[in-house]
Amino acid sequence: MADVERGNQSDVTEFILRGFRILYPFQIGPFVLVLLTYLTTVAGNTLVIFTILVDQGLHTPMYFFLGNLSFLDICYTSNIVPKMLQGFLAEKGVAISFSGCVMQLYIFGSQAATEILLLTVMAYDRYLAICRPLRYTSLMKTRECIKLASCSWLGGFLFNPVIMAWIYRLRFCGPNEIDHFFCDFMPLVKLSCSDTHLITLAAFLLSSTATLIPFLLTLTSYSFIITAIVKNPSSTGRQKAFSTCTSHLIVVSTFYGALAMVYMVPTASATIYLNKIFSLLYSLVTPLLNPLVYSLRNKDVNDALKTVATRLLDFRRR
């Protein structure tokens, strides 16, 4: 109905996601690889959430935020991968309605903003735990943790509705092929026959602010954390502090690194496929790495996973 109402404004009512069209002759291999990666991502993050819920030893602020991050990663990758999988099997690309395209872009942007905020909150949590240990318990009560997580989710989804409404008012009169595997901002806006300079500038300023400020806060938190760790006279204390922060640092570096590679590379046609590959990092690889990093490098999660696995095996034997 919404697309019909837009008829007076635009000639295009649906778009074609070209995806990795160059790989179509070899589509089975990439399709199976992406499908297995997606299933592993969902299973891994679900296992992390389940482990945090059932293990009393993980009922702490750090793992509460990790559970939120794992749930977000499931939603994040599920917004993009289904259309990507269809694209591997469609020689001419996958059709998506205008409303569906804008909704996918809105969900993608909101979830990316939420992840940025959650990573910032997790850095703040580590800062309090290491630099303010005596006040940590009083500052990070259950109610405060819920407030911080809620603000991250709410802030993420209030991040870009104005830009989405603006996109909805743009005129699209053809062509309608988006040279990407999902509805990203620049590939979509490039197809508009309206003047897009103002919306592009507004989106750049908004996304830069929403990314840079949390990044600087995260950087500040870790500068204090590293200083505190270096000053710690106990080698055991230093090792324990580093072990609790390393996993989060790897996740932060991977996420921000992927975003930087995608949105700072040139937009010339020669880099289109490179841009798509980099996009895979934050849309598919990062959500896969998060549970692996936290389970392999975090002793608490690793021990909890072993305990849960043992309980499940004992339950099956009964």
Side-chain angles (χ1 to χ4, degrees):
M1 183 66 180
D3 288 338
V4 174
E5 292 175 353
R6 294 187 70 258
N8 294 332
Q9 288 182 272
S10 177
D11 301 319
V12 174
T13 58
E14 71 173 18
F15 295 101
I16 304 297
L17 297 173
R18 295 181 62 182
F20 295 95
R21 188 176 293 181
I22 194 173
L23 297 178
Y24 180 73
F26 319 98
Q27 77 271 32
I28 298 301
F31 175 86
V32 172
L33 179 62
V34 171
L35 178 61
L36 290 177
T37 303
Y38 173 65
L39 294 176
T40 304
T41 298
V42 173
N45 281 288
T46 301
L47 182 60
V48 169
I49 295 171
F50 177 74
T51 303
I52 292 172
L53 288 174
V54 301
D55 193 293
Q56 292 290 330
L58 299 182
H59 289 183
T60 63
M62 176 180 174
Y63 297 109
F64 171 74
F65 296 128
L66 175 58
N68 275 267
L69 183 65
S70 293
F71 177 72
L72 175 64
D73 282 337
I74 293 173
C75 301
Y76 195 63
T77 190
S78 297
N79 178 48
I80 294 175
V81 171
K83 283 292 182 183
M84 188 195 306
L85 290 172
Q86 292 181 45
F88 285 124
L89 303 179
E91 183 177 4
K92 296 183 179 180
V94 180
I96 183 171
S97 68
F98 181 89
S99 297
C101 187
V102 174
M103 181 57 66
Q104 186 186 52
L105 176 58
Y106 170 70
I107 293 174
F108 163 74
S110 299
Q111 290 173 342
T114 302
E115 180 144 359
I116 288 171
L117 294 174
L118 275 176
L119 291 175
T120 305
V121 168
M122 292 173 76
Y124 174 66
D125 171 71
R126 291 300 84 208
Y127 161 75
L128 291 179
I130 294 171
C131 300
R132 299 288 186 270
L134 298 180
R135 299 187 60 195
Y136 179 71
T137 304
S138 62
L139 291 174
M140 296 299 286
K141 295 179 180 178
T142 301
R143 180 180 297 179
E144 303 306 318
C145 293
I146 293 174
K147 286 181 181 179
L148 287 170
S150 299
C151 287
S152 297
W153 283 93
L154 187 60
F157 278 83
L158 291 178
F159 161 68
N160 59 358
V162 174
I163 298 296
M164 296 304 105
W166 200 337
I167 289 176
Y168 208 81
R169 296 183 64 84
L170 293 177
R171 179 178 172 82
F172 293 87
C173 43
N176 69 333
E177 289 193 348
I178 298 175
D179 196 5
H180 214 312
F181 55 82
F182 74 101
C183 291
D184 203 0
F185 177 78
M186 284 307 300
L188 173 61
V189 170
K190 281 169 60 178
L191 298 180
S192 175
C193 46
S194 302
D195 183 0
T196 59
H197 288 88
L198 194 56
I199 187 176
T200 301
L201 177 61
F204 172 77
L205 293 175
L206 183 62
S207 58
S208 298
T209 302
T211 303
L212 186 60
I213 292 177
F215 175 73
L216 291 176
L217 290 174
T218 302
L219 204 61
T220 301
S221 295
Y222 271 101
S223 66
F224 283 114
I225 289 171
I226 293 172
T227 301
I229 291 175
V230 171
K231 290 181 178 180
N232 192 329
S234 169
S235 58
T236 304
R238 287 197 301 269
Q239 184 178 1
K240 183 178 180 181
F242 268 121
S243 67
T244 60
C245 296
T246 303
S247 300
H248 185 247
L249 272 174
I250 293 174
V251 170
V252 169
S253 302
T254 304
F255 181 78
Y256 277 107
L259 284 181
M261 284 187 289
V262 169
Y263 294 106
M264 293 181 68
V265 296
T267 55
S269 58
T271 61
I272 288 176
Y273 282 100
L274 189 61
N275 187 282
K276 292 179 185 179
I277 292 172
F278 288 153
S279 296
L280 284 174
L281 287 177
Y282 64 77
S283 62
L284 192 63
V285 177
T286 300
L288 171 67
L289 286 179
N290 288 355
L292 294 177
V293 168
Y294 277 104
S295 61
L296 294 177
R297 296 195 59 88
N298 189 298
K299 186 177 183 299
D300 292 336
V301 176
N302 210 352
D303 291 344
L305 285 171
K306 291 177 182 178
T307 302
V308 170
T310 302
R311 289 177 181 175
L312 290 175
L313 288 174
D314 292 341
F315 179 77
R316 289 189 63 183
R317 288 170 183 168
R318 292 176 183 176

